[in-house]
Amino acid sequence: MLVSLEIIHHLGYLEKEMVKSNTVIAATKEKEMVPCARDVLELESTFEKLEQELREINRNHAALRQNLIELMDIDSLLRMTEDFFEEPGNQRCSPNELFIAGVIKQERFPAFEKVLWRLFHGNFVLRHAEMQATEELQAVRGAVKKDVFIIFVQGDHVREKIRKVCEGFRASLYSCPKTLYEPKQMSTSVMTQMEDLRMILRRTEEYRAGVLTRAAEHVQEWGSKVKKMKAIYYTLNLCNIDITQKLIVAEIWCPVSDLTLVQSALIKGSEQSGSSVTPVLNRIQTQQTPPTFNRTNTFTEGFQAIIDAYGVGTYQEINPASYTIVTFPFLFAVMFGDCGHGLVMTLFAVWVTSQLTDVVIGGRYIILLMGMFSIYTGLIYNDCFSKSFNIFGSSWCVLSMFHPHGPWQNETLHEYHHLQLNPFVPGVYSGDPYVFGIDPVWNIASNKLSFLNSFKMKMSVILGVSHMLFGVALSLVNFVHFRKFQDIFLQFVPQLIFMLSLFGYLIFLILYKWCITLRSETAPSILLLFINMMLFDYQSEHVLLYRGQVVGSSLVLAGIVGGWSECKFTLSHLQNHDCALQQKWLPTAPGVSMGDIFVYQAIHTIEFCLGCISNTASYLRLWALSLAHAELSEVLWRMVLQVGLKISSGMGSLMLVVLFAAFAVLTVTVLLIMEGLSAFLHALRLHWVEFQNKFYEGSGYKFTPLSFDSLLKTQQ
Amino acid sequence: MAATSFVIAMSVMTLFWGLIGGVIPWFIPKGPNRGVIVTMLVLTAVCCYLFWLIAILSQLNPLFGPVLTNDTIWYLNQHWQ
């Protein structure tokens, strides 16, 4: 293990160097074989050699660069002294006088000057000039500004003092020529030295680039090899070594259907490595719970992932992921419900799936299905960017409201701004509803929401109760599989009867009221009916929905059922209690009496009953979100696009372009992304809480075999 | 009974989704994905049919009509026949 840590360290250094020098790292296309133990040593030596080489190159490079900087300093110094000496009056210098020349950072210069003043009481000459920042200088030294200075001072003994001051200010000193002719000589020699250095530097850089490019061809391959080796070592560490120190014993979990595959892989492995001992695979019994393994392909793994995010299924319980493939996009679409937006989403998902095949985006199939279902629900809601289609002809006829069929005269239109169509006037409503979806007349009606709210609320309740009944039915499958037949009788049946007697009855009322013809003045409200049923209020003034309406029975039934499920745990606890007593070795836990068990079960029963009601109400979010989406869509149309379409001046076309751009941006960000995320989240919550708490335990742990594919994928 | 558009629509849709959910699953070839595909077909048929059914039943016997502005009424008089 230590070995691989060092290798990873070397590899990291290599990659850093490559990035610094902008070398292109080639991507490997072929799949490499799994590395064996020999490769480890080989890779290790290669890496060490490469690293040493690179370090040496870098050291040399740094040293050369330092030299170059010094030479450049001397060069500009010389130029400055030349200028200085050309000034009249400075030609001579007496032997007593002293020059000191050097380079200092520009920001330190004022302080430097002050210190010198204090030291020599003005008895010196100081000249400074900014160093020209040539491009090369910038590249080599960086953006630090430096000044060149010369100090003339009297006396020999001050040399040390000045040197100390310069050291304090980190100024670098250089020896300076005394006469006029020396500068020229020094200048030329410095120039040639600089040229040489530059050439050497270039060569060094080229050499380094060459080394790195050669290494870059392999670095990806090496990287994946190292990762694989690390994974193999980690897995091997989990095994035990036999007493003879020659064998490795491993206890593994393995899917039963894959046993033959594992057997053949073991044989193949032993053949390839040339060992004499064939590995042996035995099935053993164990008390531990095995991990949960659900086989997925690229299509189903997204859905399995969102189920596992809540909790990995208990070993061998039913997997809701296969049903979630359809119900999740469907519930999303009920809340999203716009065929125009759904079309955009589908096209986006198709593009992602087909184009970006190398980058695996986990949710692309989820988005594809969500978009396709949204197109369908959008067509049924008759909502496309907040406009409706009129394909089959509306069922509502305005003409029949006028004389002689109906109450309206020609003047009625002038008198009133808003008029309501009356479906009970013959001819106004054709008797046949619009065959596919919501009638297009509602889109242009002012009371659209009155109708749509009633429709969507009832739809949410129907869909919600169906979804929950489906969940309860899945719990039956679980009971049958785990052979808990008692639970079928004591838990599944009471739950079913309770839900059906209350919410099934509600759905029956809804459907019945939809299917019969009523006069609107006398039509009873289902809500009031239900409330009255709960309060056992049967006043005869209220018109009953149908003859012989016996509502009390369903409530009594629900009550019976509640007590029934309470018996369940009581019975099972009693049984356990009895068993234990019979075995006579049980010290009865004090305080666990019949009363406690009863209370515990009462709480459970109440929790279930109230939970049913609150879960059903929770499904009303299907209505709420689809209303919000429709309203947002309409606002965008009315406030943005319609304004542009209504402009009658010549500038209208230009304004329309601008407004359409705004419309498009707002549609994508607010309606598609924000509303999409919101509907996604709520559909997910409906699945995780309201659907899954009817049957799902989710207390297992995931089966995680060593997989090179997933290892390399996660690294990328 | 006269073939009203409601009856036609009801029978066509029931037949269509019944086909998708009840007949096609028998013809899916055996393979590792057969279970998933059959589940998907049945659930899609059930969900979509139920949703369509709710939409059409809710409009079967309306208790009130749409409220329109007089401009809209005038326009519809001319154009929606």
Side-chain angles (χ1 to χ4, degrees):
Chain A
M1 272 308 280
L2 294 170
V3 160
S4 53
L5 280 177
E6 277 224 10
I7 291 186
I8 294 175
H9 191 68
H10 290 320
L11 200 57
Y13 176 72
L14 271 176
E15 279 173 350
K16 241 187 330 200
E17 284 294 314
M18 284 184 208
V19 166
K20 247 199 304 192
S21 62
N22 294 336
T23 333
V24 170
I25 300 185
T28 49
K29 294 286 191 287
E30 343 79 49
K31 251 193 155 124
E32 325 87 27
M33 292 296 294
V34 176
C36 55
R38 280 169 271 146
D39 285 357
V40 176
L41 301 168
E42 195 183 303
L43 274 179
E44 201 187 327
S45 57
T46 320
F47 284 169
E48 262 185 54
K49 216 170 41 156
L50 265 176
E51 185 168 344
Q52 271 177 4
E53 214 176 324
L54 271 176
R55 279 201 205 276
E56 206 180 307
I57 295 177
N58 280 348
R59 255 195 312 261
N60 290 346
H61 191 257
L64 286 171
R65 190 184 269 209
Q66 193 58 33
N67 279 354
L68 189 60
I69 292 178
E70 280 181 13
L71 283 176
M72 282 180 170
D73 287 347
I74 295 183
D75 186 41
S76 36
L77 195 70
L78 285 175
R79 255 181 268 144
M80 204 196 97
T81 55
E82 236 177 73
D83 295 336
F84 180 69
F85 279 130
E86 259 149 43
E87 282 176 39
N90 289 337
Q91 302 287 11
R92 298 157 284 115
C93 55
S94 46
N96 247 358
E97 281 197 351
L98 200 28
F99 279 80
I100 308 260
V103 169
I104 188 175
K105 275 204 188 135
Q106 193 174 53
E107 56 201 12
R108 298 220 179 104
F109 186 73
F112 183 58
E113 196 173 352
K114 258 193 228 140
V115 168
L116 284 179
W117 264 93
R118 269 196 228 126
L119 207 52
F120 297 114
H121 310 289
N123 217 358
F124 69 105
V125 174
L126 171 68
R127 287 276 194 279
H128 78 284
E130 188 176 331
M131 253 170 74
Q132 275 95 11
T134 56
E135 258 183 48
E136 194 188 353
L137 210 61
Q138 292 258 15
V140 167
R141 184 207 295 280
V144 178
K145 287 214 176 113
K146 294 220 175 164
D147 275 0
V148 178
F149 65 89
I150 292 193
I151 313 177
F152 283 98
V153 93
Q154 292 263 5
D156 244 346
H157 53 283
V158 296
R159 194 196 290 263
E160 270 313 304
K161 271 199 218 151
I162 295 183
R163 203 159 302 231
K164 285 246 172 59
V165 171
C166 291
E167 253 178 57
F169 279 91
R170 306 256 167 88
S172 20
L173 297 175
Y174 299 107
S175 64
C176 194
K178 300 247 196 278
T179 66
L180 194 55
Y181 301 104
E182 275 187 37
K184 296 266 186 332
Q185 273 178 338
M186 270 191 81
S187 192
T188 38
S189 79
V190 162
M191 283 301 197
T192 39
Q193 274 183 352
M194 269 172 46
E195 271 312 308
D196 285 339
L197 260 182
R198 282 198 192 106
M199 199 180 67
I200 298 180
L201 262 178
R202 251 198 316 268
R203 285 282 166 77
T204 321
E205 274 166 16
E206 277 170 24
Y207 180 60
R208 183 171 74 173
V211 167
L212 283 176
T213 326
R214 266 195 312 273
E217 289 166 20
H218 298 289
V219 81
Q220 278 243 344
E221 185 192 320
W222 290 337
S224 54
K225 266 198 187 160
V226 164
K227 280 172 214 138
K228 286 184 187 174
M229 280 193 262
K230 188 166 160 201
I232 293 179
Y233 276 126
Y234 179 72
T235 316
L236 281 180
N237 278 346
L238 297 171
C239 309
N240 305 318
I241 306 252
D242 196 18
I243 307 182
T244 61
Q245 294 284 330
K246 293 242 174 80
L247 299 174
I248 293 185
V249 179
E251 290 180 353
I252 61 167
W253 291 112
C254 167
V256 171
S257 52
D258 282 347
L259 268 177
T260 41
L261 265 179
V262 172
Q263 207 43 306
S264 56
L266 281 174
I267 296 178
K268 195 164 92 164
S270 71
E271 275 171 23
Q272 278 193 347
S273 65
S275 82
S276 53
V277 183
T278 39
V280 173
L281 178 69
N282 278 335
R283 266 180 92 155
I284 53 178
Q285 299 294 326
T286 173
Q287 292 297 323
Q288 289 177 328
T289 323
T292 313
F293 177 48
N294 288 311
R295 246 180 251 276
T296 56
N297 52 27
T298 41
F299 179 69
T300 54
E301 69 177 307
F303 300 99
Q304 187 67 52
I306 60 181
I307 298 292
D308 286 344
Y310 180 72
V312 178
T314 318
Y315 185 59
Q316 292 214 324
E317 77 168 340
I318 194 166
N319 179 21
S322 30
Y323 309 107
T324 307
I325 299 179
V326 168
T327 56
F328 176 74
F330 178 69
L331 287 183
F332 171 88
V334 170
M335 292 191 266
F336 197 69
D338 185 316
C339 61
H341 301 148
L343 187 66
V344 173
M345 195 183 256
T346 314
L347 291 175
F348 171 72
V350 166
W351 173 76
V352 167
T353 315
S354 62
Q355 290 304 319
L356 309 178
T357 41
D358 47 341
V359 181
V360 174
I361 300 183
R364 51 202 176 149
Y365 290 108
I366 305 183
I367 300 182
L368 180 67
L369 280 182
M370 292 189 327
M372 286 175 12
F373 274 101
S374 297
I375 299 180
Y376 181 77
T377 55
L379 285 174
I380 295 214
Y381 284 151
N382 220 346
D383 188 358
C384 176
F385 295 110
S386 83
K387 295 282 129 202
S388 286
F389 296 112
N390 186 359
I391 307 177
F392 303 102
S394 171
S395 314
W396 295 82
C397 173
V398 167
L399 187 62
S400 311
M401 281 297 283
F402 288 98
H403 241 50
H405 306 282
W408 292 352
Q409 308 282 351
N410 276 337
E411 298 80 39
T412 325
L413 275 188
H414 296 291
E415 280 170 33
Y416 296 100
H417 194 240
H418 289 276
L419 290 164
Q420 182 166 28
L421 271 69
N422 186 353
F424 299 107
V425 171
V428 172
Y429 174 64
S430 70
D432 290 323
Y434 193 72
V435 299
F436 192 77
I438 302 289
D439 199 300
V441 79
W442 290 109
N443 190 264
I444 49 180
S446 326
N447 63 344
K448 162 171 90 156
L449 285 181
S450 310
F451 171 71
L452 281 184
N453 283 349
S454 156
F455 157 66
K456 285 184 180 173
M457 263 198 276
K458 294 174 180 171
M459 166 205 79
S460 309
V461 168
I462 295 178
L463 287 181
V465 173
S466 316
H467 202 212
M468 285 194 289
L469 282 176
F470 182 48
V472 173
L474 287 181
S475 78
L476 175 69
V477 176
N478 265 347
F479 290 143
V480 166
H481 180 86
F482 288 115
R483 304 241 172 282
K484 294 199 203 151
F485 294 110
Q486 214 178 26
D487 277 345
I488 297 182
F489 188 61
L490 292 175
Q491 187 166 330
F492 167 71
V493 172
Q495 272 185 355
L496 196 65
I497 297 187
F498 180 79
M499 286 195 67
L500 282 179
S501 67
L502 270 182
F503 300 109
Y505 182 61
L506 179 62
I507 295 183
F508 165 72
L509 283 179
I510 293 174
L511 290 174
Y512 188 79
K513 191 173 172 192
W514 274 347
C515 291
I516 62 167
T517 324
L518 291 167
R519 299 285 312 176
S520 75
E521 303 85 52
T522 57
S525 148
I526 294 185
L527 197 58
L528 289 179
L529 270 180
F530 219 66
I531 294 177
N532 286 341
M533 175 181 96
M534 290 298 186
L535 300 175
F536 289 101
D537 180 5
Y538 311 119
Q539 286 156 1
S540 49
E541 297 103 62
H542 296 278
V543 174
L544 298 178
L545 199 50
Y546 56 93
R547 275 180 293 154
Q549 184 178 2
V550 185
V551 284
S553 62
S554 65
L555 198 57
V556 170
L557 199 57
I560 291 176
V561 155
W564 184 345
S565 67
E566 183 168 327
C567 298
K568 173 209 170 177
F569 286 103
T570 322
L571 255 165
S572 58
H573 267 268
L574 275 177
Q575 277 184 351
N576 291 342
H577 218 66
D578 273 343
C579 274
L581 278 176
Q582 277 167 12
Q583 284 166 6
K584 280 193 185 71
W585 62 19
L586 139 87
T588 319
V592 177
S593 62
M594 276 299 294
D596 278 347
I597 298 178
F598 230 63
V599 166
Y600 182 66
Q601 289 330 300
I603 294 177
H604 246 272
T605 311
I606 294 177
E607 187 189 353
F608 172 70
C609 298
L610 289 182
C612 253
I613 300 176
S614 88
N615 288 344
T616 308
S618 182
Y619 274 93
L620 287 175
R621 70 188 70 221
L622 294 174
W623 159 51
L625 262 94
S626 82
L627 179 68
H629 189 95
E631 287 300 297
L632 272 175
S633 183
E634 183 167 339
V635 159
L636 268 190
W637 156 259
R638 215 164 0 111
M639 304 288 181
V640 181
L641 207 54
Q642 196 184 43
V643 167
L645 288 170
K646 274 188 176 170
I647 300 179
S648 48
S649 71
M651 285 294 291
S653 46
L654 196 62
M655 281 299 292
L656 191 58
V657 170
V658 172
L659 282 173
F660 181 76
F663 174 77
V665 165
L666 281 173
T667 299
V668 168
T669 52
V670 171
L671 283 173
L672 282 180
I673 296 181
M674 188 188 86
E675 277 285 319
L677 276 176
S678 170
F680 182 94
L681 193 75
H682 284 285
L684 200 60
R685 176 249 155 75
L686 282 177
H687 275 78
W688 279 356
V689 178
E690 275 80 18
F691 175 59
Q692 284 181 213
N693 72 3
K694 301 285 178 293
F695 68 97
Y696 193 60
E697 234 179 282
S699 58
Y701 62 104
K702 218 172 155 140
F703 177 57
T704 46
L706 175 66
S707 156
F708 287 141
D709 273 341
S710 59
L711 196 68
L712 293 175
K713 246 190 279 183
T714 53
Q715 293 291 345
Q716 280 163 7
Chain B
M1 139 170 81
T4 60
S5 69
F6 173 64
V7 169
I8 298 177
M10 189 59 120
S11 24
V12 164
M13 288 298 266
T14 312
L15 208 63
F16 177 69
W17 289 116
L19 214 74
I20 291 191
V23 175
I24 295 191
W26 296 108
F27 294 103
I28 304 292
K30 287 206 201 303
N33 296 324
R34 182 167 199 257
V36 173
I37 295 181
V38 165
T39 312
M40 279 178 65
L41 282 173
V42 171
L43 271 178
T44 310
V46 167
C47 290
C48 294
Y49 180 64
L50 186 63
F51 197 62
W52 170 84
L53 192 67
I54 294 174
I56 200 171
L57 284 183
S58 67
Q59 301 178 92
L60 197 52
N61 293 304
L63 291 171
F64 62 92
V67 168
L68 303 168
T69 57
N70 45 8
D71 298 321
T72 316
I73 293 177
W74 178 85
Y75 179 84
L76 289 182
N77 224 351
Q78 313 281 327
H79 289 265
W80 273 13
Q81 284 316 328

